[in-house]
Amino acid sequence: MNVIHLSVECYPVAKVGGLADVVGALPKYQNKLGINASVVIPWYDKPYIRDHAFDRVVSGTFNQGSATLSYEVWKQVESTLGFDLFLIKIPGFLDRSEVYGYADEGEQFIAFQHAFLDWLTISAIVPDIVHCHDYHVGLIPFLMQWGDRFHTLRTVKTVATVHNGQYQGWMNWSKGILLPAFDTWKWGLLDWDGLINPLAAAIKCSTAFTTVSEGYLKELLVEANGLQTLFASESFKGVGIVNGIDTEVWDSEKDVAIQFPFNIRNVTKGKEKNKETFCEQYKLDSRRPLLVFIGRFAYEKGADLLSEIIINLFEVKDEKISIFILGSGDSEIRDSLAPLSAKYPGYFSAYFGYDESLAHWVYASADLLLMPSRVEPCGLNQLYSLRYGTLPVVRAIGGLKDTVIDIQDPEGYGVRFAEASVESAVEGIQRAVLFSSNSAAFEKNKKRMMSLDFSWDSSAKTYIDLYNQINP
Ligand code: ADP
């Protein structure tokens, strides 16, 4: 079975968040199960692409509005990632340093999708499944069926995975002329509330859609940033499949980003040593429990609550803990956190920016990881945290609810709190800190967390079962 994963992120080539982790791992684990899964992403101006060899496979042109765009498809010479990686290069348009954030982002994603379909068409490539990840490539299922020029792809089955339903790629209908020519009688399939909505089009036109946890699928039927009625009416073809983690990349014994690698047997000593050097570097007291947050500074992550949570913990509750934050994004959130290092020396420290290696070291060094998310389709941080023996303290929502069981339950290993609010998060943190003071139970729990299996093995198989179901 030939499956093409189409995405704008893929670890380790281009990562902004969890989407990259999934697209960089799922195909690898699917290939281990005997199918042929490959990945197609844009050619960016990124170190990974500069540092690796690629062969040109094909080139072509297409019209986007009044412009004629040229594209090239390149394939990585050595498939070291566990799958064939293809890059679509559109000079001056896609070959930029960042994945997101450009004023012509909508045009960029249309061009990427058009080039992909043109490539398959002129090369007579007919995969069994095209698997589209998030709205950036959400027009593909529609265009494969109703595009004027892509007849060879009309019967190919499509899967659309919703990693995050908050972002939908809304475009004014004036942008409609930029799309490849399509059967205009079908325009309604692109539309939601008077706008072109690529995520809605993907849900309507894909053979099946998936969400990255079962809990998130249920939540989308009730609240999906305007698409809840669509998710409800199409739910007959929706499946929730929880993300796994790449246990080769996230292996505390072999992780080169960790100063003192450790395994389940020596986790106590290993984490302690990492914590000591980490706290020394970031000027924190390592004798206290170390609580961390890693992630995007975004409202959906509850990152706007962080500064108040910290102030409340130190000034109202008088908690004696160390707190470290690794994050980037909204500048207001950053500005709310920046002064706290000076205000609470030895207690609070932060690194503002994106640093993959540092993230690994933080997971390895911390005692507790906080996720006060308002929305969390799956969440990977809590899974990395469990794998590295760090107790997750999470708001019970979406994938967090599906993957973290509270210590109040005999089967539990993490802490869940009910609301994305300062009070609720502080209550959860205090329970976790109290639990950490019972060192026998806390140390035993580290081994328990590390023994949990959140690898891709079973979820990769569930996806393959879905492919077989829709393409018998
Ligand atoms: P989302 O995709 O919504 O941002 P996920 O929990 O699914 O959230 O995935 C986040 C991923 O990004 C994890 O691999 C996490 O470690 C990583 N990450 C987030 N922010 C940073 C950062 N500032 N530096 C390093 N890694 C980060």
Side-chain angles (χ1 to χ4, degrees):
M1 181 190 294
N2 289 314
V3 178
I4 301 181
H5 289 270
L6 195 62
S7 167
V8 298
E9 293 187 41
C10 176
Y11 176 83
V13 190
K15 171 167 168 176
V16 178
L19 171 62
D21 290 350
V22 173
V23 177
L26 171 60
K28 175 164 99 177
Y29 286 83
Q30 289 182 327
N31 285 335
K32 289 184 189 188
L33 293 171
I35 69 163
N36 178 25
S38 54
V39 173
V40 180
I41 62 166
W43 173 300
Y44 297 105
D45 180 18
K46 293 266 186 203
Y48 184 94
I49 298 176
R50 287 196 292 273
D51 296 347
H52 291 80
F54 292 85
D55 278 338
R56 195 168 60 184
V57 179
V58 75
S59 59
T61 58
F62 60 88
N63 292 330
Q64 183 151 310
S66 56
T68 300
L69 298 181
S70 303
Y71 74 90
E72 292 168 349
V73 179
W74 294 74
K75 181 181 178 197
Q76 185 165 12
V77 174
E78 287 179 63
S79 296
T80 46
L81 298 177
F83 49 80
D84 286 339
L85 174 67
F86 294 91
L87 306 176
I88 295 181
K89 185 174 192 175
I90 305 185
F93 209 39
L94 285 186
D95 56 347
R96 303 179 187 165
S97 60
E98 301 303 322
V99 177
Y100 307 114
Y102 298 102
D104 58 355
E105 197 170 77
E107 285 89 331
Q108 287 185 293
F109 297 148
I110 293 173
F112 175 54
Q113 294 173 88
H114 197 159
F116 170 71
L117 295 173
D118 192 79
W119 160 38
L120 295 198
T121 305
I122 64 171
S123 306
I125 297 170
V126 184
D128 296 299
I129 303 281
V130 173
H131 190 149
C132 304
H133 295 270
D134 267 351
Y135 83 82
H136 327 103
V137 291
L139 300 171
I140 292 285
F142 172 84
L143 292 170
M144 281 170 60
Q145 276 174 67
W146 304 112
D148 287 353
R149 285 188 43 242
F150 314 123
H151 301 283
T152 49
L153 300 171
R154 200 148 278 181
T155 57
V156 172
K157 304 292 189 278
T158 52
V159 174
T161 292
V162 184
H163 296 259
N164 194 331
Q166 292 299 106
Y167 305 102
Q168 300 171 5
W170 310 269
M171 277 183 286
N172 203 293
W173 268 102
S174 60
K175 294 257 168 81
I177 51 157
L178 301 176
L179 298 181
F182 60 90
D183 179 350
T184 47
W185 285 98
K186 302 293 177 194
W187 70 271
L189 292 169
L190 293 171
D191 186 83
W192 194 260
D193 273 348
L195 293 172
I196 298 175
N197 185 318
L199 185 67
I203 301 308
K204 291 181 199 177
C205 300
S206 57
T207 321
F209 76 88
T210 71
T211 60
V212 288
S213 68
E214 286 180 37
Y216 189 50
L217 179 57
K218 288 191 200 120
E219 286 167 16
L220 287 174
L221 308 182
V222 182
E223 162 50 39
N225 211 359
L227 294 188
Q228 45 283 356
T229 54
L230 177 64
F231 277 106
S233 65
E234 300 285 342
S235 62
F236 66 94
K237 62 173 186 185
V239 194
I241 305 177
V242 71
N243 286 338
I245 58 175
D246 190 333
T247 46
E248 290 168 11
V249 175
W250 296 91
D251 179 350
S252 57
E253 208 166 8
K254 302 202 182 104
D255 194 330
V256 289
I258 300 181
Q259 296 211 347
F260 301 99
F262 59 91
N263 57 35
I264 193 162
R265 288 179 304 283
N266 60 14
V267 49
T268 300
K269 197 88 220 127
K271 280 182 79 72
E272 199 178 285
K273 286 195 331 211
N274 281 300
K275 183 177 166 186
E276 265 167 28
T277 51
F278 180 83
C279 286
E280 198 179 308
Q281 171 139 353
Y282 287 96
K283 302 192 170 46
L284 292 166
D285 187 337
S286 66
R287 289 165 303 181
R288 296 190 288 254
L290 174 60
L291 172 77
V292 301
F293 170 94
I294 299 175
R296 290 185 289 121
F297 289 158
Y299 181 78
E300 60 178 311
K301 296 284 177 197
D304 53 303
L305 304 172
L306 289 171
S307 59
E308 269 193 72
I309 291 172
I310 294 164
I311 293 168
N312 187 296
L313 283 169
F314 290 146
E315 298 197 3
V316 181
K317 306 291 193 254
D318 198 26
E319 281 291 350
K320 301 280 181 271
I321 60 175
S322 295
I323 301 181
F324 181 80
I325 286 181
L326 165 61
S328 58
D330 186 286
S331 56
E332 268 183 40
I333 295 179
R334 181 199 157 119
D335 292 347
S336 71
L337 293 165
L340 302 184
S341 308
K343 196 167 174 192
Y344 306 115
Y347 283 84
F348 177 78
S349 188
Y351 178 91
F352 299 123
Y354 188 93
D355 188 326
E356 188 74 24
S357 299
L358 180 56
H360 283 240
W361 195 25
V362 174
Y363 288 116
S365 306
D367 295 302
L368 312 170
L369 174 111
L370 174 65
M371 297 180 77
S373 307
R374 290 195 172 79
V375 181
E376 199 59 82
C378 176
L380 288 170
N381 297 19
Q382 81 282 11
L383 303 183
Y384 299 142
S385 155
L386 290 167
R387 179 126 173 104
Y388 281 29
T390 300
L391 186 147
V393 184
V394 304
R395 190 220 166 176
I397 186 93
L400 297 176
K401 209 166 157 183
D402 287 6
T403 55
V404 177
I405 304 177
D406 194 280
I407 45 173
Q408 281 169 342
D409 187 300
E411 299 291 304
Y413 43 81
V415 166
R416 281 166 35 165
F417 53 90
E419 303 296 331
S421 68
V422 174
E423 298 70 33
S424 197
V426 166
E427 175 273 326
I429 294 165
Q430 288 199 289
R431 264 196 314 120
V433 172
L434 185 65
F435 181 62
S436 75
S437 65
N438 177 348
S439 65
F442 193 62
E443 295 312 324
K444 191 167 161 224
N445 191 55
K446 283 183 181 152
K447 293 189 194 294
R448 163 115 182 78
M449 291 188 285
M450 287 185 76
S451 68
L452 297 169
D453 181 5
F454 286 106
S455 67
W456 266 112
D457 298 322
S458 103
S459 294
K461 180 164 179 315
T462 312
Y463 274 108
I464 295 176
D465 291 344
L466 175 65
Y467 301 156
N468 282 321
Q469 214 179 310
I470 62 175
N471 188 39

